[in-house]
């Protein structure tokens, strides 16, 4: 049990650090959040709430169930951050698997969701459990293709109409699967978490502040944190330390000399503009495929105003040659190549933005032919990701 006079330091104000600070602050605990940038949640992007892990065929059933439970907790904590629109899972005819192969997992997830609702009715945040997933055969899709688009879709069928009208039905396997995995709105989360944190008295926000050193103060019973703000160096002691430094978490581990095994991956998503569809609400559409091959999974994520965020799990689009690195015995911090660090800390060339966004448009237009006319909409969304680590109080 932590007493509420104990001082807790969190290093890193991304979604992990900001949410932890908010949770602990709401319990009345004394938290200081250190973030080197001028605002919170400005690291790698996110657009999808993995409420069942249906984007990842390669992960285990157990991991999918865990993702379902974590997403339900997330929705309780941040109901305003979710864009309530479903996801359509599509298997191309070129895929080596079939939609039927996904059904046992979907049934498992539906049953898990139902038992979570039975245990606590407040867990019903993804709609009715019987609707967790819905199958559409070709006949149903051909019927929906003839229906007018609905401006504010409510039912699964209404959401499916723009999909039925726009995908090449000869290039996909049936049934199509609609699942209740929603959109995550990064911008609302960043704004909402920052506003909420500023209101909590027991929280000290230190933005534009770099944690430069940490020493385990076992005799003094805590952690000595050295930080730099406005070119001045300060030192403060804390009872607890949470490492939420994202892909730089290994650097904090190095300061503490703790053993670790970490991986970091650089990835990017691209922003396109599809003028003809600036007032149509689409669900997210996933075209499954083998990661790292030219047929890598395609992800088509709608935003308002005709903007679509695109992933293609190929090395020409989302993934990069040498973009996935592990740490070594010498350091907990996996070393990304300088070209990736340049992108993260500075910028992209217009040429690469153009080239990769156009490759992404081409990748998705294999299945959505009219999308070929989409254009580059904005700068890419990108970053390096890593699982944050929690360091227990020294013993
Ligand atoms: C292209 C892409 C798409 C993605 N899409 C999704 C998605 O759809 N759904 C999903 O769930 N996830 C997605 N992810 C993963 C998701 O972005 C990350 O898991 C998540 O943002 C990690 O958050 P974090 O708080 O752990 O780390 P970060 O957001 O990296 O935050 C760490 C913070 O620590 C700060 N920091 C580091 N060192 C110090 C220091 N010494 N002193 C002070 N501050 C420091 C950094 O400035 C940073 O703000 C995606 C990732 C990428 C790259």
């Amino acid at each position: 049990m932590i007493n509420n006079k104990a001082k807790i330091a969190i290093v890193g104000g991304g979604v992990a650090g900001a949410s932890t600070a908010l949770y602990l602050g709401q319990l009345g605990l004394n938290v200081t959040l250190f973030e080197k940038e001028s605002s919170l949640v400005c690291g790698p992007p996110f657009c999808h709430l993995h409420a069942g892990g249906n984007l990842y065929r390669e992960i285990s059933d157990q991991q999918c169930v865990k993702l379902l439970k974590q997403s339900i907790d997330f929705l309780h904590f941040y109901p305003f951050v979710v864009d309530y629109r479903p996801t359509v899972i599509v298997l191309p005819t070129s895929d080596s698997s079939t939609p039927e192969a996904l059904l046992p997992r979907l049934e498992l997830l539906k049953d898990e969701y139902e038992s979570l609702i039975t245990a606590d009715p407040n867990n019903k945040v993804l709609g009715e459990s019987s609707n967790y997933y819905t199958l559409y055969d070709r006949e149903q899709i051909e019927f929906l293709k003839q229906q007018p688009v609905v401006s504010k879709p409510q039912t699964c069928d209404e959401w499916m109409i723009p999909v039925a009208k726009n995908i090449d039905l000869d290039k996909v396997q049936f049934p199509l699967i609609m699942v209740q995995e929603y959109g995550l709105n990064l911008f609302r989360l960043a704004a909402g978490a920052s506003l909420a944190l500023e209101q909590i008295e027991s929280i000290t926000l230190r933005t534009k502040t770099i944690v430069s050193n940490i020493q385990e103060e076992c005799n003094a019973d805590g952690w000595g944190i050295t930080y730099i703000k406005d070119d001045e160096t300060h030192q403060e002691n804390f009872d607890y330390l949470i490492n939420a430094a994202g892909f730089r978490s290994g650097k904090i581990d190095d300061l503490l000399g703790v053993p670790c095994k970490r991986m970091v991956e650089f990835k990017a998503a691209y922003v396109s503009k599809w003028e003809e569809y600036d007032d149509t609400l689409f669900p997210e559409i996933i075209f499954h495929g083998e990661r790292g091959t030219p047929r890598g999974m395609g992800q088509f994520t709608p935003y308002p105003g005709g903007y679509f965020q695109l992933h293609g799990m190929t090395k020409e689009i989302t993934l990069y040659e040498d973009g996935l690195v592990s740490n070594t015995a010498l350091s907990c911090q996996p070393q990304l190549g300088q070209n990736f660090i340049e992108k993260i800390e500075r910028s992209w060339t217009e040429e690469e933005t153009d080239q990769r966004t156009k490759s992404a448009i081409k990748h998705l237009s294999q299945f959505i032919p009219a999308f070929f006319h989409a254009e580059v909409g904005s700068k890419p969304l990108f970053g390096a990701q890593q699982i944050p680590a929690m360091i227990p109080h020294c013993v």
Side-chain angles (χ1 to χ4, degrees):
M1 183 80 163
I2 303 178
N3 84 52
N4 61 1
K5 289 206 179 113
K7 290 175 70 185
I8 303 166
I10 301 178
V11 185
V15 59
S19 305
T20 308
L22 194 52
Y23 183 78
L24 298 178
Q26 283 169 350
L27 296 174
L29 300 180
N30 181 341
V31 177
T32 300
L33 180 59
F34 293 96
E35 170 52 51
K36 74 182 178 61
E37 302 298 336
S38 55
S39 57
L40 301 178
V41 196
C42 58
F46 38 81
C47 65
H48 187 92
L49 180 72
H50 295 283
N54 290 291
L55 268 55
Y56 304 116
R57 293 186 293 189
E58 60 282 9
I59 66 176
S60 68
D61 285 354
Q62 212 182 4
Q63 284 171 305
C64 287
V65 169
K66 197 170 174 186
L67 281 169
L68 175 73
K69 290 180 178 163
Q70 288 174 342
S71 298
I72 291 171
D73 287 344
F74 185 92
L75 269 158
H76 285 309
F77 196 63
Y78 282 129
F80 61 89
V81 157
V82 169
D83 286 331
Y84 288 89
R85 47 119 184 96
T87 297
V88 177
I89 309 280
V90 180
L91 268 84
T93 47
S94 56
D95 195 77
S96 57
S97 187
T98 62
E100 283 73 22
L102 301 177
L103 297 184
R105 175 173 289 179
L106 286 161
E107 268 301 293
L108 170 75
L109 289 166
K110 187 184 84 163
D111 292 347
E112 284 287 339
Y113 179 40
E114 197 167 312
S115 24
L116 288 168
I117 297 173
T118 309
D120 178 357
N122 289 324
N123 284 333
K124 198 161 113 183
V125 287
L126 305 168
E128 297 295 333
S129 59
S130 56
N131 253 358
Y132 175 71
Y133 76 93
T134 313
L135 303 180
Y136 285 87
D137 61 24
R138 182 154 189 160
E139 204 182 325
Q140 287 165 297
I141 294 292
E142 296 280 8
F143 171 77
L144 291 174
K145 192 175 174 173
Q146 307 309 321
Q147 306 308 307
V149 167
V150 175
S151 61
K152 286 192 180 145
Q154 302 289 328
T155 65
C156 292
D157 284 4
E158 288 171 356
W159 276 110
M160 198 54 126
I161 293 170
V163 180
K165 283 186 182 299
N166 284 288
I167 63 171
D168 182 340
L169 301 185
D170 291 329
K171 285 206 173 153
V172 302
Q173 301 185 50
F174 290 90
L176 307 188
I177 303 165
M178 180 170 280
V179 64
Q180 299 303 314
E181 291 199 4
Y182 302 142
L184 262 189
N185 194 308
L186 164 69
F187 312 104
R188 245 183 276 140
L189 193 146
S194 305
L195 288 171
L197 285 165
E198 280 162 18
Q199 301 302 314
I200 300 177
E201 256 179 46
S202 65
I203 291 180
T204 306
L205 272 184
R206 293 206 195 285
T207 50
K208 291 196 202 162
T209 305
I210 299 176
V211 170
S212 59
N213 198 14
I214 303 177
Q215 281 186 322
E216 195 174 355
E217 308 275 343
C218 279
N219 293 337
D221 219 16
W223 305 89
I225 293 194
T226 307
Y227 60 91
I228 302 166
K229 184 164 175 75
D230 298 332
D231 293 328
E232 280 184 25
T233 302
H234 307 259
Q235 220 266 334
E236 194 174 341
N237 284 359
F238 291 86
D239 300 293
Y240 294 89
L241 168 65
I242 294 172
N243 179 0
F247 86 94
R248 292 188 173 96
S249 295
K251 284 193 176 179
I252 304 293
D253 286 350
D254 281 348
L255 293 174
L256 300 167
V258 294
C260 59
K261 206 166 171 4
R262 293 185 176 279
M263 288 183 97
V264 160
E265 184 172 33
F266 180 91
K267 288 193 309 181
Y270 302 88
V271 183
S272 63
K273 178 95 205 249
W274 198 14
E275 290 289 352
E276 297 97 296
Y277 286 87
D278 60 357
D279 57 358
T280 304
L281 291 182
F282 274 82
E284 181 160 73
I285 315 176
I286 303 300
F287 299 95
H288 269 313
E290 201 185 325
R291 188 184 160 98
T293 72
R295 289 185 177 152
M297 183 256 266
Q299 186 176 352
F300 179 81
T301 307
Y303 280 90
Y307 286 95
F308 293 86
Q309 183 189 311
L310 313 173
H311 281 88
M313 295 299 165
T314 80
K315 295 230 164 93
E316 288 67 45
I317 306 175
T318 293
L319 309 177
Y320 282 75
E321 198 68 51
D322 302 324
L324 180 63
V325 284
S326 303
N327 72 306
T328 62
L330 294 177
S331 166
C332 290
Q333 180 61 45
Q335 293 300 328
L336 273 175
Q338 193 52 30
N339 52 332
F340 300 116
I341 301 296
E342 288 279 323
K343 280 192 171 66
I344 292 167
E345 292 183 349
R346 287 180 193 88
S347 193
W348 289 54
T349 62
E350 218 169 285
E351 195 188 353
E352 190 176 359
T353 299
D354 210 57
Q355 186 194 336
R356 287 209 172 232
T357 310
K358 284 181 176 158
S359 297
I361 291 172
K362 193 169 161 213
H363 194 63
L364 271 303
S365 61
Q366 293 176 80
F367 308 110
I368 311 173
F371 189 62
F372 192 73
H373 301 292
E375 287 176 357
V376 178
S378 180
K379 292 180 194 159
L381 296 160
F382 58 92
Q385 63 186 59
Q386 181 187 251
I387 300 162
M390 176 149 179
I391 301 160
H393 180 263
C394 63
V395 284

